[in-house]
Amino acid sequence: LISTLGDVYLPGEKHTLRKDVENVLTPYGFRARNDNARHGYGLGVAVLPAARLREVHQVVTQAASRLGDPTAQDLLAELNERLHWAGVLNDAYLPLRVFANRSIVHPELVRRESLANTQQAERLEVAIAANQKVVLERFSNAAEFEDSVGGELGVWPLQLIFHNIGWYLAYEEDRVARDRGIIRTERLDRFALRRLESGFSRSSKDRADGVHRLSRLMEISGGIYFGECAETQFNLCDAKGEDLSNLLTTVRFRCAEWVYRFLREGLQRYPLNQLRLSKPLPGDSWKPPKLAPLVLEPILNDGHPFPVEIDLPNWTVDRDVDFRRWLFGFGDGVIIESPEALANEHRDKAKGVAVLYE
């Protein structure tokens, strides 16, 4: 190569030529900058095609901006820089998909010691990855429910979860002389990370067990509220088939046709083995999916002809706020038949709203 570039490099300038090549070329293409030989080495079309890299960038962008992921901000900044270096991304690129959901918590307006703060969230993630115990404390002026925990809590953090309106921490309470503790979730902005317990850690197997139980609880409940009884959690997580069915409470209601159409299109809200929907009325042109649990008979000549049954944990039926927002949100489109306490609660809330407008 030196011989072909004789007018540019002298025979003894091999080192100069090598450095010049390093300043221009990388394994993944040309660099926009030449101040660091590593620019362009870490990410490029050798990892994913350019179109796929733009999709990855868009997902991270949505997580950082729309969902307010407290740890995605730095990742997005680095990804932006690297993809611009590689020429994969430019300012004229328009995304093909966006998230309509967004976190109601503004990441720049939370308290500095809040878990929703980027620096505190990163500390928490380090503790999760290291299977480390942490001490949390709820802010005294934070919103809370009747059974919300307070004071300092020594817990094993499991995962960060985005749910509906914000980011939550799922954790397992530390129980002395017990292999497993109750699993709870709390919104990040309501808690401070007081300290990492460097002398307390557990095995990856213990955390994996906690994460598995968390996933199971979310699936069965259809939400992130798991009650106040550890034994009930353990029993539900361990049960299968008929044993699980015997531990659940059946919510039965009838719905108007407009509600029924929404429900039959949203079959992932709850596991199919916990859900039973009405068959369509005769003459309905809708073609049901083969696996859809349409097993109940419709009630002819009724304003709410479509029965629905959902098997749920007692804590969901008795206290889950998100479940009530969903079911009660259909207003007069549903008539709850059982449990009676839930039907009475639906009736009382409707009466209370009506009184406000009298």
Side-chain angles (χ1 to χ4, degrees), residues 142-154:
E144 59 184 5
F145 297 101
E146 183 180 341
D147 54 1
S148 294
V149 295
E152 285 198 349
L153 305 171

Side-chain angles (χ1 to χ4, degrees), residues 27-143:
Y28 303 137
F30 289 89
R31 274 198 311 266
R33 299 171 59 181
N34 61 6
D35 60 334
N36 189 320
R38 292 182 300 172
H39 290 165
Y41 277 71
L43 184 63
V45 294
V47 179
L48 287 171
R52 286 295 192 186
L53 288 173
R54 286 190 286 268
E55 290 181 22
V56 171
H57 172 267
Q58 187 54 36
V59 170
V60 177
T61 299
Q62 294 297 303
S65 60
R66 302 294 297 182
L67 302 187
D69 186 339
T71 58
Q73 311 296 329
D74 291 341
L75 174 61
L76 177 61
E78 186 173 356
L79 195 57
N80 267 331
E81 185 176 46
R82 298 298 177 89
L83 292 184
H84 275 90
W85 287 345
V88 172
L89 198 65
N90 58 63
D91 296 333
Y93 174 71
L94 296 176
L96 300 177
R97 299 178 181 87
V98 296
F99 296 172
N101 275 5
R102 67 163 59 192
S103 171
I104 66 171
V105 179
H106 197 301
E108 296 180 4
L109 300 180
V110 297
R111 295 172 60 163
R112 186 179 58 165
E113 64 269 36
S114 165
L115 291 176
N117 176 277
T118 299
Q119 286 73 30
Q120 299 301 328
E122 288 177 349
R123 291 180 64 207
L124 181 61
E125 287 190 351
V126 169
I128 293 175
N131 304 315
Q132 196 170 8
K133 184 179 175 181
V134 301
V135 175
L136 309 176
E137 184 177 12
R138 177 186 289 275
F139 295 126
S140 60
N141 59 354

Side-chain angles (χ1 to χ4, degrees), residues 1-2 5 9-26 31 37 41:
L1 181 59
I2 287 286
L5 298 173
Y9 296 96
L10 298 176
E13 294 184 322
K14 291 182 180 180
H15 178 72
T16 302
L17 172 60
R18 183 176 62 82
K19 297 302 294 183
D20 287 347
V21 170
E22 288 180 356
N23 287 334
V24 177
L25 300 177
T26 72
R31 274 198 311 266
Y41 277 71

Side-chain angles (χ1 to χ4, degrees), residues 253-260 281 298-307 332-335 337:
F253 57 91
R254 305 194 324 272
C255 58
E257 183 174 8
W258 69 270
V259 176
Y260 174 68
L281 288 172
I299 303 169
L300 303 180
N301 302 317
D302 189 282
H304 296 71
F306 303 101
D332 61 0
V334 299
I335 298 175
E337 295 184 346

